[in-house]
Amino acid sequence: MTWIHPWTPHLFSFRTTRPKGFRFTAGQFARLGVEKSDGSVAWRAYSMVSGPYDEFLEFYSIVVPNGEFTSELSRLKVGDTLLIDKQNHGFLTLGRFTGGSDLWLLSTGTGIAPFLSILADPTAWESFEHIVLVHSVRHANELAYRDTVEKFAEHELFGEFAHKLIYLPVVTREPIAGHLSKRLTDLIPSGELERQVGLNLDLDRSRIMLCGNPEMVNDTRKALKAKGFQTSRQSSPGQIAVENYW
Ligand code: NAP
């Protein structure tokens, strides 16, 4: 562990050294291990926040009250050891899609993590005309990484593409002027999300990734299927890719 950044009492990010030979594609996750007081190791899946070219690994975590893994994790300090399974996992990657010109990245809570990794890699910026990043949280102080996203215009590599990014924070449990406040599962069927973004969800143009609360992922996928979108599979390319994640 090389760096720890608390966002709220329940949310924090951390960095580790990157083991030699640990390779991944943006959007994938790793299995992290922490040693418990009885000497056994607890493992949990975490998407990388950092990009495939970063020399460190960064992760974003919630502290689950009395959670076996996150309680141990949140006790670690800079300099402490974290285990990592060298195998990378997951299919929430741009390789799932063919075609499309608008990339929609729809997240709740810590589910924004893989999308930050995707935005830390040149592929998405070069491949799409528009990138829509929606982050739905309960309270405004949980809009982690807002600064990072809003400062892409100053980014030395991606600054020239920053005009492509439309960032839409959604805060559902407190009224914040100028912010959407309904769940994604309401914003999509009503058309409010498309109006707010200024783009239509379109079978030819849109490629959509969902990550976060498993119920949100399921229900949003249903709402998109009702509009004709299909989950992308190797045998039959579609427009949707998902990861359940907390
Ligand atoms: P969350 O409960 O999934 O909420 C994050 C966002 O997703 C909120 O905007 C929420 O809207 C929305 N959402 C939740 N279920 C949805 C659904 N079925 N369809 C569409 N949108 C949905 O995630 P979280 O706040 O990161 O909490 C994750 C877990 O940690 C939960 O078990 C929670 O009890 C626990 N926890 C959370 C906090 C906290 O302060 N956030 C603190 C301690 C523990 P709504 O506001 O309408 O639900």
Side-chain angles (χ1 to χ4, degrees), residues 62 108 136-138 142 172-173 183 185 213 215-216:
I62 190 160
T108 61
S136 175
V137 296
R138 297 177 178 191
E142 295 165 344
T172 45
R173 298 202 187 182
R183 286 178 161 199
T185 39
N213 185 302
E215 282 176 22
M216 177 285 287

Side-chain angles (χ1 to χ4, degrees), residues 11 17 27 32-33 37 42 45 48 57 64 77 83 108 119 148 168 175:
L11 293 168
T17 50
L32 300 183
S37 48
M48 272 63 76
L57 297 176
V64 180
K77 299 181 295 297
L83 304 172
T108 61
L119 292 174
T148 308
L168 210 62

Side-chain angles (χ1 to χ4, degrees), residues 9 11 16 48 65 80 84 99 140 146-147 166 197 225-226 228 239:
L11 293 168
T16 68
M48 272 63 76
D80 287 349
I84 184 163
R146 182 178 190 147
D147 266 12
I166 300 161
V197 169
K225 284 190 168 172
Q239 303 83 9

